[in-house]
């Protein structure tokens, strides 16, 4: 959901991530999120001319949320309640490819 409100000189952008994630929150999950956010923030800033109308940093935050929640969901499906933050990291390549890579056919 994109809600851009004019306040001051710059619009405020509100994005809501509706991905379910997993029912378990494990220690280190925020560390994974911050690392993913740093990566997406760099990519978004470097490629902001090629992006949609959403400013680069909110877009990076939204993409980070989606990726980490999808990784948590996949890790929970595999490990159940014994899921650790490292299990999220093991899911990153597959989930990233599924959610973000463009395929050319």
């Amino acid at each position: 959901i994109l809600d851009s409100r004019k306040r001051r000189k710059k619009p405020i952008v509100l994005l809501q991530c509706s991905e379910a994630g997993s029912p378990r929150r494990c220690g280190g999950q925020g560390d994974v999120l911050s690392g993913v956010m740093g990566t997406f923030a760099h990519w978004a800033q470097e490629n902001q001319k090629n992006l949609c109308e959403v400013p680069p940093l909110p877009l990076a935050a939204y993409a980070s949320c989606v990726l980490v929640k999808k990784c948590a969901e996949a890790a929970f499906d595999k490990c159940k309640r014994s899921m650790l933050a490292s299990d999220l990291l093991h899911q990153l390549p597959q989930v990233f490819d599924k959610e973000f890579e463009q395929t050319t056919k």
Side-chain angles (χ1 to χ4, degrees):
I1 298 172
L2 173 61
D3 181 9
S4 188
R5 300 177 184 176
K6 294 265 184 194
R7 293 188 188 158
R8 300 183 193 153
K9 293 182 182 181
K10 289 186 176 183
I12 295 174
V13 177
L14 302 174
L15 299 171
Q16 180 178 346
C17 180
S18 60
E19 297 298 328
S22 80
R24 172 156 164 62
R25 301 290 178 259
C26 56
Q29 194 166 341
D31 297 322
V32 174
L33 178 61
S34 64
V36 169
M37 175 61 194
T39 302
F40 276 127
H42 173 73
W43 289 345
Q45 291 283 48
E46 290 294 313
N47 295 293
Q48 63 185 0
K49 293 177 186 172
N50 302 325
L51 299 175
C52 59
E53 73 275 1
V54 179
L57 293 181
L59 184 62
Y62 180 81
S64 301
C65 180
V66 169
L67 181 59
V68 172
K69 282 187 166 190
K70 292 278 191 175
C71 287
E73 182 180 33
F76 185 82
D77 287 346
K78 184 176 180 182
C79 303
K80 303 296 182 214
R81 296 259 172 220
S82 67
M83 178 182 87
L84 302 172
S86 58
D87 298 317
L88 272 70
L89 295 175
H90 293 299
Q91 299 301 319
L92 273 171
Q94 300 89 337
V95 174
F96 183 89
D97 286 348
K98 181 180 177 191
E99 298 298 321
F100 296 102
E101 285 295 331
Q102 294 180 358
T103 57
T104 54
K105 292 184 180 181

